[in-house]
Every structure is written in structure tokens, then in C-alpha cells.
Amino acid sequence: MARDIVRSTGRAVAGPALGRFIAPAVLGPALRGWVVGGLVIEAEQRRLFPWLAVAFGAGILVFFTATDGMPALWAPLAAAAACAATLPFLGGRPVALAIALGLAAALLGFSASALRVSRVAAPVLTRTMIAPLEGLIESLEEREEGARLVVRVASLGTMSAAERPVRVRVSFKKAPPLRPGDFIAATARLLPPPEAARPGGYDFARDAYFRGIGAVGSLLRKIAVKPPPEPVPWSLRLAAAVDDARNALTRRITDAN
């Protein structure tokens, strides 16, 4: 057995190398024994693999709760590689192996979060504005009065491409029949995506950030459908066609009832 627990002193020891990985000054004897004993049991019963997902998720949680700004991606990746490099030398030390695997998985989760955030980074509107909007309808949600749609912005007032949002979510009450894939021109009233109304509540601004939506609002006055100024990429055409088919199916189900 790899476990050697001495209960009479209230401490747990799991091999002579344990003290080099968990310092007595960091964890009390009882807590240290509980942690080490659990790690040894998991290693003996070959149940360490499911804990990698937990460690990966913990790394993601740390990124979104403890970071301020965008950290350098190379730092957590280098640390994860360093932990992984020690694994071949820890075959006979189950506790040290578990700790190294957990740290590597947590650092990879942190790195995956940083990579995802950097890939979806896009401008977000910082003030309320009313301006001419032109763009392609990517998706359209039909409602009892009007509809709500996501528009991929081609132009927004006098804003440059580096300043304007990539997508905006707008609603309208009265307009000509619109479909996903239409290129529209209208006047829009836009404002920044709203944040959570209370601590721990739904944060629409965060959800919008990962969807590339940099502003929300409504369309004013007349909405014109016009040919796009340049060919639409096939990926956008396919996504628009799928959303159009979804709306058609929804209408058929509603009419049947």
C-alpha cells in the first residue's frame, strides 16, 4: 500500500517525499492529512482522470474571477508545460503525480479561457447614439409585435471599422417583411449591452461579448432592403439560411395550432 497514515498524532504521511510537496506551514496537520489521504486513495483506485475536468474548470473559474485585463498567454502555457515535463519522473509518487496533473489541467483551463477571450475580442459601444446603420441580418427572432434581429454591421454612422461593433442586436415593431440574409439600411438607436442588474445575476454584457454583439437597441423610421455592397461569405449565407428555415418551421407550428 502506498498509504501510511499515522492517526495517533493526527497527521497523515503518504511516503517520504510528501513533505517536499505540501509544506507544514501552509496546511495544518489534520487538513494536510485529509487532502493527502484523499489523493492517495484516488490514485490507488485509478480515479484521477475525472478530476482533470474539475481542475480544468477551476482554471477557467480563476481566469474569470481573478484576472484584471488580458494576461499574457505564454505564461500559463509555459507553466503547464513545466508541470507536464515532471510527470515521467513521478510514477512512484502518487500524491506528487496528482498535484502535477491537477496544476497542469488548471493552467490549461486558464490558458483556454485567455485564448477564447482574445479570439472573440471586438469593439463594444461605450455611449448611447443614434446613427445610420447598414448591415446583414444574421438571425431574426419573430415576436408578437415586430421582431428582434442580429445585424452584422457594415457601417455605423461615421465610426471606423476599428471602433464600430461587429454585430448589434436591434428590435423593430413595424417594417417590411425581413429575412435572415437581407442587407438593410436604417437609422438605429444603440446603447452599450446592459450588465447584470444584481450581483450574481444574468450578465447580458458578458454573453453578448462572446457572441460578438457590441451594442443593443432598436431601429427607427424606415427600413430599406438593398443589395449588399460586396459578396456575402458562404458561412454567413449558410447561417442565415438555417435561421430562415427555423423561423419558417416555427411559423408552421404556430399556424397549425
Side-chain angles (χ1 to χ4, degrees):
M1 298 288 290
R3 179 177 53 184
D4 180 20
I5 301 177
V6 183
R7 300 185 183 276
S8 61
T9 61
R11 296 184 298 174
V13 181
L18 176 60
R20 294 197 296 270
F21 295 95
I22 301 181
V26 177
L27 296 175
L31 180 59
R32 189 170 70 252
W34 178 76
V35 172
V36 172
L39 288 176
V40 171
I41 292 174
E42 295 298 306
E44 288 179 348
Q45 300 187 10
R46 300 180 182 273
R47 295 187 307 204
L48 288 178
F49 185 78
W51 285 100
L52 294 181
V54 177
F56 191 89
I60 297 175
L61 182 64
V62 168
F63 176 85
F64 285 108
T65 57
T67 57
D68 184 13
M70 178 59 64
L73 185 59
W74 66 266
L77 286 176
C83 291
T86 64
L87 297 180
F89 307 100
L90 302 176
R93 301 174 180 176
V95 174
L97 179 64
I99 293 174
L101 282 171
L103 286 175
L107 289 165
L108 287 176
F110 189 96
S111 302
S113 302
L115 179 62
R116 174 62 176 167
V117 169
S118 64
R119 290 187 61 185
V120 301
V124 177
L125 199 66
T126 58
R127 67 186 190 279
T128 302
M129 64 180 300
I130 298 177
L133 167 69
E134 291 188 353
L136 180 78
I137 300 178
E138 287 191 347
S139 64
L140 187 149
E141 178 185 350
E142 296 179 348
R143 313 174 79 178
E144 292 185 2
E145 294 184 0
R148 184 167 60 188
L149 47 92
V150 174
V151 178
R152 189 175 187 90
V153 179
S155 66
L156 179 60
T158 58
M159 299 182 70
S160 65
E163 297 176 326
R164 65 175 180 253
V166 175
R167 296 180 180 86
V168 297
R169 195 187 75 173
V170 291
S171 60
F172 65 91
K173 292 184 177 180
K174 296 181 180 179
L178 299 176
R179 299 177 57 185
D182 288 344
F183 190 89
I184 62 171
T187 300
R189 180 183 183 272
L190 301 174
L191 61 154
E195 298 181 353
R198 64 182 187 279
Y202 173 66
D203 191 347
F204 176 79
R206 174 176 290 181
D207 182 49
Y209 180 86
F210 284 96
R211 295 173 58 189
I213 297 175
V216 297
S218 58
L219 298 179
L220 310 174
R221 306 184 186 96
K222 183 180 178 180
I223 302 175
V225 179
K226 53 191 296 187
E230 56 185 22
V232 179
W234 69 267
S235 57
L236 294 182
R237 293 200 305 268
L238 177 61
V242 170
D243 193 73
D244 190 33
R246 178 183 62 81
N247 288 329
L249 180 61
T250 301
R251 286 193 298 268
R252 292 191 61 180
I253 294 174
T254 303
D255 295 341
N257 294 332

